Amino acid sequence: MAKRGRPRQPLDERHRYAIMMLVWGMRTKEALAEELGISRMALWKWEQREDFREAYEKEYREMVRTLQRAPRKRAQ
């Protein structure tokens, strides 16, 4: 069965920015939605998109690799 409604647009810079902010914990969802000029529900809908989730998981894996490579400070 075909999906109804408008065809889904590919992820844009706002989506990528939201993913980066969410992965790195730099904004709450409320603050991020406000900054992007969208509702929290719209942000939630973005998070339900398969392509958004895939991009989120990719960014999350990259964050983990980055943190694993970071030099660790020794306690003195």
Side-chain angles (χ1 to χ4, degrees), residues 54-69:
E54 289 171 357
Y56 180 97
E57 290 169 8
K58 182 179 177 184
E59 180 69 23
Y60 184 84
R61 287 190 301 270
E62 183 60 33
M63 177 196 63
V64 169
R65 279 193 293 272
T66 298
L67 294 175
Q68 287 174 337
R69 288 189 300 243

Side-chain angles (χ1 to χ4, degrees), residues 1 3-6 9 12-15 20 23 30 35 37 42 44 47-48 50 53-54 56 61 71:
M1 181 179 252
K3 291 185 179 183
R4 294 185 285 176
R6 311 186 292 187
Q9 297 296 315
D12 62 22
E13 290 305 311
R14 292 187 325 152
H15 294 101
M20 185 180 68
V23 166
E30 282 184 272
E35 183 177 344
W44 179 84
E47 292 177 296
Q48 305 312 302
E50 185 176 341
R53 287 194 313 265
E54 289 171 357
Y56 180 97
R61 287 190 301 270

